[in-house]
Amino acid sequence: MGELEDAVMTRVWKWNRPVTVREVLEDLQQERSIAYTTVMTVLDNLHQKGWVRREAEGRAYRYEAVSTRAAYAAALMNEAWSQSDNQAAALVAFFGMMSPEQREALRDAVRMVQGPETSTSENAPAETAVGESAGENAVHENPAAAKGRTGR
């Protein structure tokens, strides 16, 4: 998404209800000068791209997000990760950039995906990979990742 598309989608996601071009326009105008037709075009583009659905209401449309911001972020991360020629090294670098709070959120997410029935031994690799020293743990488990990260 471009900057303006993101600004429009941010409002659609935040409001979490069908919105009109006028509503988005009035909110955007608090930050910048923008024309009604520009917002209408952006929402139409987002509709064409599949990010919003629309329903006619009189002579106008109401637009609603097709998915959540979290799903959009996940799709971006998946796309970037899948384009890496060394996915393990990409994960090591990504985990290394995370704050302790982000790593804790990742641990929580892994637990949610694995579910309560997963044994401790099955949790170990995922838990280790996102631990406080995620980069080091992942490097020990995958020497190729170490080579990709350090350039050795």
Side-chain angles (χ1 to χ4, degrees):
M1 268 187 229
E3 179 192 346
L4 189 52
E5 288 175 327
D6 183 64
V8 169
M9 280 305 301
T10 295
R11 282 144 179 91
V12 174
W13 282 318
K14 180 176 76 173
W15 295 334
N16 197 27
R17 61 174 173 75
V19 300
T20 64
V21 172
R22 176 83 43 211
E23 290 173 309
V24 176
L25 171 71
E26 289 172 359
D27 199 57
L28 283 170
Q29 284 179 331
Q30 294 176 24
E31 299 173 6
R32 63 176 92 186
S33 176
I34 189 166
Y36 181 93
T37 53
T38 301
V39 176
M40 185 174 62
T41 299
V42 169
L43 280 163
D44 185 60
N45 290 343
L46 289 167
H47 177 255
Q48 298 295 327
K49 292 178 179 183
W51 286 106
V52 296
R53 65 172 82 54
R54 67 186 181 192
E55 188 173 315
E57 185 176 276
R59 293 179 22 197
Y61 288 107
R62 283 205 173 265
Y63 295 86
E64 184 174 18
V66 170
S67 66
T68 64
R69 184 174 203 99
Y72 172 67
L76 286 177
M77 289 187 285
N78 186 56
E79 182 181 340
W81 185 50
S82 67
Q83 291 179 10
S84 173
D85 61 348
N86 186 339
Q87 292 183 337
L91 284 175
V92 168
F94 182 63
F95 293 155
M97 292 178 207
M98 291 178 146
S99 69
E101 295 80 15
Q102 289 171 319
R103 286 193 297 270
E104 183 60 32
L106 182 56
R107 279 192 291 277
D108 291 345
V110 167
R111 282 191 288 272
M112 288 172 60
V113 169
Q114 290 177 333
E117 300 299 316
T118 307
S119 72
T120 305
S121 63
E122 290 174 354
N123 278 343
E127 292 292 330
T128 300
V130 296
E132 287 300 309
S133 56
E136 291 305 312
N137 289 330
V139 167
H140 294 304
E141 291 175 12
N142 185 347
K147 186 174 185 179
R149 189 177 86 155
T150 62
R152 286 183 270 178

